[in-house]
Amino acid sequence: MQGVFITIEGVEGSGKSTQLLRLSERLRRLGLPLVVSKEPGGTALGRELRRLLLERHASGETWCSEAELLLFYADRAQHLETVVRPSLAAGKIVLLDRFEDSTRAYQGASGVAESALDRLSELVLRGLKPHLTVMLDLDPEVSLQRVEVRNLALGGEFSETRFDQAELEFHRRVRNRFLVIAQNHPNRVALIPARNPVDQVAASIWVRVAPLLRSAGFGVD
Ligand code: TYD
């Protein structure tokens, strides 16, 4: 039996983590075989990359976009090899917090050429595609405000407590790239407005996830 591959994507502050938790809890309650993971961070290499990303922020060093790109793909190659492919081969549902679309949106918005992304993607993914990508859409004007509020209260891992105009512009470009991906892959990507209340967003996600799992032979009723 082949597993089911689901990714969840969106700009910072779009409610990705909350929705991922809601969905994974629901699938667990149903007793389904589930693997939840994230990029970067799903392997020891990925956790090391997260640490490097954090230190990069702390040290103020600017990485050239190609170096950053190769690090994200190194993480992805390791994650696919050790977590994603074996879990799918074992017939499990694999739920990932960020995947390839994040690279296309973030590194694309940092100026990496589409052709470079295509070549790396071919090398690392070898044709593997998610069955479904849940893309939470929110205007960065709103999402970054959410992040600011959260980080003031909790202290954030990656994000500052205030975003300047240049960062807002960057996140606008990221969002637009996510929207273009959704437009170009209407069968794979479920574009879900993330401005709505948490329960409503969770319900919209379930409307897309349940039939996919049913068609793969999982009991979700
Ligand atoms: P994420 O773990 O979602 O951040 P948070 O802990 O705030 O939820 O993502 C970490 C950061 O890495 C985020 O700013 C997006 C970025 N990223 C890329 O730039 N390219 C990629 O390929 C991936 C997977 C993430």
Side-chain angles (χ1 to χ4, degrees):
M1 182 187 179
Q2 245 281 352
V4 175
F5 186 19
I6 301 173
T7 59
I8 180 156
E9 300 275 9
V11 292
E12 267 107 308
S14 57
K16 200 166 48 67
S17 308
T18 306
Q19 293 301 334
L20 188 102
L21 192 67
R22 294 279 289 252
L23 180 59
S24 55
E25 280 172 350
R26 187 163 191 170
L27 296 174
R28 284 216 175 89
R29 276 200 304 273
L30 289 165
L32 299 177
L34 179 67
V35 172
V36 182
S37 194
K38 69 192 295 180
E39 289 193 1
T43 62
L45 188 154
R47 286 185 287 280
E48 198 59 21
L49 172 57
R50 281 186 96 81
R51 192 182 62 73
L52 287 171
L53 283 165
L54 282 174
E55 281 183 5
R56 184 259 318 245
H57 276 268
S59 74
E61 182 180 66
T62 316
W63 290 352
C64 72
S65 50
E66 287 79 10
E68 193 179 70
L69 175 74
L70 291 168
L71 286 171
F72 280 117
Y73 270 103
D75 167 54
R76 183 155 304 136
Q78 182 70 7
H79 193 216
L80 284 174
E81 192 63 24
T82 61
V83 177
V84 178
R85 290 190 205 275
S87 304
L88 289 173
K92 295 184 178 163
I93 300 164
V94 177
L95 185 55
L96 286 198
D97 186 346
R98 295 198 186 279
F99 189 55
E100 171 93 348
D101 296 324
S102 277
T103 318
R104 292 193 174 259
Y106 283 85
Q107 277 61 59
S110 304
V112 173
E114 208 67 37
S115 56
L117 293 167
D118 287 343
R119 268 179 292 163
L120 281 172
S121 179
E122 198 184 313
L123 175 75
V124 172
L125 269 66
R126 303 195 302 272
L128 181 72
K129 272 198 226 105
H131 296 100
L132 174 69
T133 295
V134 172
M135 196 173 276
L136 297 177
D137 179 50
L138 192 59
D139 185 339
E141 196 95 50
V142 178
S143 75
L144 294 185
Q145 243 165 38
R146 282 187 184 177
V147 175
E148 283 179 2
V149 169
R150 184 179 65 198
N151 287 355
L152 274 176
L154 300 170
E157 194 190 5
F158 278 106
S159 315
E160 305 86 297
T161 45
R162 288 223 69 82
F163 290 94
D164 61 24
Q165 196 58 33
E167 283 164 313
L168 182 60
E169 279 307 317
F170 173 72
H171 284 93
R172 283 204 178 111
R173 291 205 302 280
V174 171
R175 184 216 194 178
N176 287 340
R177 280 173 181 269
F178 275 134
L179 291 175
V180 169
I181 292 168
Q183 226 167 37
N184 291 341
H185 303 276
N187 294 330
R188 170 175 67 88
V189 179
L191 187 67
I192 294 179
R195 227 195 152 117
N196 297 330
V198 172
D199 285 347
Q200 206 174 319
V201 175
S204 308
I205 293 173
W206 189 246
V207 162
R208 296 297 298 260
V209 170
L212 172 66
L213 297 183
R214 249 179 242 122
S215 72
F218 290 106
V220 294
D221 298 311

